[in-house]
Amino acid sequence: MISSVSAALALASVSAVLAAPVNTNVSPLVSRAAAPSPAFVIYTDKFVSADVLPPATQLAGYNVVALSFLTLKGALDQAGAYAALAPSARATKKAEYAQAGISIIVSAFGETDKPTTSGADPVGTANTMAQFVTANALDGIDVDYEDLDAMNKGDGAAEKWVTTFTQTLRQTLPQGQFILTHAPLAPWLSPNAQFAAGAYLTINKNVGALIDWYNIQFYNQGLYTDCEGLLNAAGAPFAGSSLFEIAANGVELNKLVIGKPGSAADATNGFIDPATLGTCVDQAKAKGWSAGVMAFQFPEADAAWIKAAKGTSFQ
């Protein structure tokens, strides 16, 4: 969730890293969650408490929380901590959040994982991660693929990997029963010679129908710092990557969730204070957009943050 397209940034984790094995005692597949629309998504990677997630009241205004991250090495940070809870504690927390109208999903990969470059098998990886979702009675999965080296090669390997991975996830996590989202960097949804094989524009053509929405990372690129750049004209070096430009590139407008850091400390750049962001949201809503807002991460982005970021359009 912290990658710059032009240079991968290494940031030390500020949260405890907890590895958790996948529970092989998988419960029967049942219908769990229809995709909310609009979606108001909050990521949680930093340690919160022994209960892992905060009281649902602290996340009022959100309808999806993404446990971060389920990696190639296993479940780490908040994803690992949640999986390590006693089954009864997980069930209690899940029921609390369901009562509050908040779905709990897991976010896969993140900035440090390089699935294509490392040679991970997309089918096996998808099956393992889908099993994690069902074993922990989660509502779905978010795909935060950030293998910049693979995407920048432009040989189509990254696009093929993500396509196969997504198709395989849907075999176990059917649409309408489980949420499946992706969290691409905004420039990957624009035509650019740096991504010769099309990046997420190609992925969207291949499997966009299987993806409920995109949690777009409108940050870390030195762009998207005001409403004009965020919504209408991103400018160089990634022209065509603002919200309405992405829609003009052929991606369904109401799958484009605006993603922003919860504070300046949660990204290298691209932070907009939530009150100002709310004015951008109002402008976008007036032009026909209604996909929702994503924040990285709690606790910087809390109930007050999302209330302000919704502007007057979603109160």
Side-chain angles (χ1 to χ4, degrees):
M1 264 296 175
I2 55 170
S3 290
S4 163
V5 169
S6 55
L9 302 173
L11 296 184
S13 173
V14 296
S15 56
V17 176
L18 303 172
V22 172
N23 180 358
T24 57
N25 183 22
V26 180
S27 57
L29 181 66
V30 296
S31 176
R32 301 196 190 281
S37 182
F40 298 104
V41 184
I42 180 68
Y43 285 77
T44 174
D45 187 43
K46 296 178 180 179
F47 175 80
V48 175
S49 72
D51 294 329
V52 183
L53 291 171
T57 53
Q58 293 187 22
L59 296 182
Y62 295 99
N63 51 24
V64 179
V65 60
L67 301 163
S68 307
F69 287 100
L70 179 58
T71 75
L72 295 172
K73 295 180 180 179
L76 307 180
D77 299 336
Q78 286 287 80
Y82 188 82
L85 287 173
S88 59
R90 277 202 310 273
T92 297
K93 184 59 69 173
K94 185 69 171 60
E96 176 195 352
Y97 272 57
Q99 180 66 31
I102 304 173
S103 297
I104 303 176
I105 66 174
V106 68
S107 186
F109 306 128
E111 187 264 346
T112 60
D113 252 357
K114 310 298 177 189
T116 307
T117 299
S118 66
D121 172 31
V123 173
T125 303
N127 285 333
T128 297
M129 291 187 169
Q131 183 186 44
F132 181 90
V133 171
T134 58
N136 290 286
L138 296 172
D139 294 309
I141 188 167
D142 171 68
V143 181
D144 183 15
Y145 178 94
E146 300 191 35
D147 193 338
L148 276 69
D149 292 337
M151 202 69 86
N152 286 340
K153 278 187 176 180
D155 60 2
E159 291 84 350
K160 181 179 179 181
W161 198 100
V162 176
T163 294
T164 300
F165 179 77
T166 303
Q167 291 168 332
T168 307
L169 283 175
R170 272 300 185 211
Q171 292 173 13
T172 301
L173 307 175
Q175 206 154 19
Q177 297 182 40
F178 291 88
I179 294 167
L180 172 54
T181 63
H182 282 233
L185 314 183
W188 284 352
L189 287 159
S190 64
N192 193 294
Q194 186 172 334
F195 324 119
Y200 257 85
L201 291 180
T202 295
I203 293 165
N204 182 66
K205 289 177 183 177
N206 292 345
V207 291
L210 302 180
I211 297 169
D212 291 315
W213 70 81
Y214 295 104
N215 295 306
I216 304 175
Q217 298 184 51
F218 284 110
Y219 45 92
N220 291 333
Q221 314 306 329
L223 302 170
Y224 325 117
T225 55
D226 57 24
C227 294
E228 179 64 17
L230 174 63
L231 302 181
N232 302 313
F238 300 115
S241 65
S242 69
L243 181 74
F244 287 102
E245 289 175 314
I246 291 171
N249 296 336
V251 186
E252 185 178 340
L253 178 62
N254 281 320
K255 284 190 175 183
L256 307 181
V257 170
I258 295 173
K260 278 294 184 181
S263 72
D266 287 312
T268 305
N269 52 62
F271 172 72
I272 297 178
D273 73 85
T276 301
L277 179 58
T279 67
C280 303
V281 165
D282 287 341
Q283 291 177 36
K285 184 68 161 54
K287 294 176 66 175
W289 165 92
S290 61
V293 176
M294 171 272 279
F296 185 84
Q297 59 179 315
F298 184 83
E300 289 80 8
D302 54 11
W305 190 101
I306 193 62
K307 181 176 176 60
K310 287 181 177 181
T312 61
S313 299
F314 297 105
Q315 301 298 336

